[in-house]
């Protein structure tokens, strides 16, 4: 199983980025997806999650109203659209797959390698 995250980069405060995560090798049927982030000196933090059907979503308090998670199951891809970025959004962003969408990172068994997002002020 591989999760390949991409789309990170350097952006000015107020800007936007869209992260993508392609899942391969997961053949056990339906799986839910999550995005987490980890800034320097911080623990890994829940950002967003989405269930297999793409309707049920949840967000961390710090990103509600600014970030949107979505997925395209035909492409085995989950997205994280980030708008109105702030310097405090700077972190490595990780995608994860698991049996249920959750804010708890221990509910996810598969993780991507992370993509760096840096927001300058």
């Amino acid at each position: 199983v591989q999760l390949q995250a991409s789309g990170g980069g350097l952006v000015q405060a107020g800007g936007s980025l869209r992260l993508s995560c392609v899942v391969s090798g997961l053949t056990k049927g339906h799986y839910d997806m999550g995005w987490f982030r980890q800034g320097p000196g911080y623990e890994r933090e829940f950002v967003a999650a989405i269930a297999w059907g793409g309707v049920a979503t949840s967000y961390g308090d710090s990103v509600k109203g600014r970030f949107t998670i979505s997925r395209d199951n035909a492409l085995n891809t989950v997205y994280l659209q980030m708008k109105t970025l702030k310097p405090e959004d700077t972190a490595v962003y990780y995608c994860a797959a698991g049996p249920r969408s959750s804010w708890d990172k221990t509910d996810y068994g598969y993780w991507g390698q992370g993509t760096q997002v840096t927001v300058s002020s």
Side-chain angles (χ1 to χ4, degrees), residues 85-104:
L85 283 160
K86 306 174 181 180
E88 51 264 43
D89 294 318
T90 295
V92 177
Y93 284 70
Y94 299 89
C95 57
R100 65 186 186 101
S101 61
S102 167
W103 57 267
D104 187 346

Side-chain angles (χ1 to χ4, degrees), residues 40-109:
Y42 291 89
E43 292 191 0
R44 196 163 294 191
E45 173 192 21
F46 170 69
V47 175
I50 186 167
W52 169 259
V55 175
T57 59
S58 58
Y59 297 91
D61 289 341
S62 60
V63 307
K64 281 180 182 176
R66 300 188 298 121
F67 291 11
T68 303
I69 189 170
S70 62
R71 66 189 297 166
D72 185 334
N73 291 334
L75 297 178
N76 296 320
T77 302
V78 64
Y79 305 98
L80 185 68
Q81 178 68 55
M82 306 184 293
K83 298 182 178 180
T84 320
L85 283 160
K86 306 174 181 180
E88 51 264 43
D89 294 318
T90 295
V92 177
Y93 284 70
Y94 299 89
C95 57
R100 65 186 186 101
S101 61
S102 167
W103 57 267
D104 187 346
K105 58 182 178 290
T106 65
D107 284 330
Y108 297 88

